[in-house]
Amino acid sequence: MEIAAPVSPTPRTVEDIFKDFSNRRNALVRALTVDVDEFFGYCDPEKENLCLYGYSNGSWEVALPAEEVPPEMPEPALGINFARDGMHRRDWLTLVAVHSDSWLLSVAFFFGARLNANERYGLGPIRSGVSRVSLCSLYSEALAQCPLVLRWLFER
Amino acid sequence: MEIAAPVSPTPRTVEDIFKDFSNRRNALVRALTVDVDEFFGYCDPEKENLCLYGYSNGSWEVALPAEEVPPEMPEPALGINFARDGMHRRDWLTLVAVHSDSWLLSVAFFFGARLNANERYGLGPIRSGVSRVSLCSLYSEALAQCPLVLRWLFER
């Protein structure tokens, strides 16, 4: 497995948020493509509620949801394993990809909210407004290049 | 309670996704401002895992999570009620606001993924690429005007 350069568990700059996003995305792309048979095998419907996690070190994992509630950060879709055997494999993978895309965005935006808070405390609201704009550009770029689901749509 | 114009439960155009997003957001802003005492009261830590939902008709609800797993669409943060009495009221509301912002984006992006799928089937990949760009613009605009959390940050 490729291990990416480490990113802070709570990225606090636009660049670190984007790096975190990219590493998580790369991990999820690998789970749904190169490692797809392994991923499929982990999602046993007989097991409890499972989630697909992409981590900022570039690794992925099928695991139980966070025990802490409310969770420290947004959680991916719960119980993906229960749908595995009731759908065509490709449709199920598309479903997981759509939820994973959605989760990637929610995580990036969650960190973005914290970034603005910190900036405001340190640098005041005007600077905060500026970084909100750059954060928007970041998300636009991420959205344009990101969707895991496009891989499935264009391969159909 | 103001009831907004209904939006399809599965919006399929950029305009409808934005309308859905705006209505949900308005609902959540109301829950966290005008209706905040009512919202606070619903989030009893003695109850089970609760979530704050903003609906596309402009209403909000504190309710148990969806029973269906994997869920039909992204779910908001689970168990917000458990943190209510362990934090300052303002910090807890900020936490809920940050998670709510993140959820709003994940829902919009979830619908966006479906929109591209439909367009691709109907109109081909070139048109699909065009609409991905307009969807990015939509998200940028939404991000620029959206964050619930900014309300809390600037009021501090």
Side-chain angles (χ1 to χ4, degrees), chain B residues 7-8 19 23 25 30-31 37 45 55 57 61 66 71 73 81 96 103 111 115 128 131 133 137 149 151:
Chain B
V7 180
S8 160
K19 194 171 176 183
N23 289 354
R25 178 180 175 275
R30 205 172 52 255
D37 291 332
Y55 297 119
N57 70 352
E61 185 182 28
M73 55 183 274
N81 52 315
V96 175
W103 176 65
F111 289 141
L115 168 73
S128 179
S131 93
V133 174
S137 306
V149 72
R151 189 176 284 262

Side-chain angles (χ1 to χ4, degrees), chain A residues 49 65-71 78, chain B residues 42-53 61-67 75-83:
Chain A
N49 275 324
E67 284 184 18
E68 185 187 354
V69 283
L78 187 68
Chain B
Y42 284 135
C43 292
D44 182 350
E46 298 298 316
K47 292 188 177 165
E48 289 184 79
N49 275 324
L50 294 173
C51 304
L52 170 60
Y53 291 89
E61 185 182 28
V62 172
L64 292 169
E67 286 185 16
E75 282 280 295
L78 187 68
I80 51 170
N81 52 315
F82 296 138

Side-chain angles (χ1 to χ4, degrees), chain A residues 51-67:
Chain A
C51 303
L52 170 59
Y53 291 88
Y55 296 119
S56 60
N57 69 353
S59 66
W60 62 267
E61 184 183 28
V62 172
L64 291 169
E67 284 184 18

Side-chain angles (χ1 to χ4, degrees), chain A residues 102 109 121 140 143 153 156, chain B residues 106 109 120-121 140 143 156:
Chain A
S102 172
F109 195 60
Y121 288 130
S140 287
L143 283 163
L153 297 175
R156 275 186 170 173
Chain B
S106 68
F109 196 59
R120 179 175 177 274
Y121 288 129
S140 288
L143 282 164
R156 276 185 171 176

Side-chain angles (χ1 to χ4, degrees), chain A residues 143-144 147 149-150, chain B residues 109 112-113 116 127-136:
Chain A
L143 283 163
V149 72
L150 286 184
Chain B
F109 196 59
N116 285 314
R127 177 62 181 276
S128 179
V130 171
S131 93
R132 166 63 55 186
V133 174
S134 57
L135 206 62
C136 287

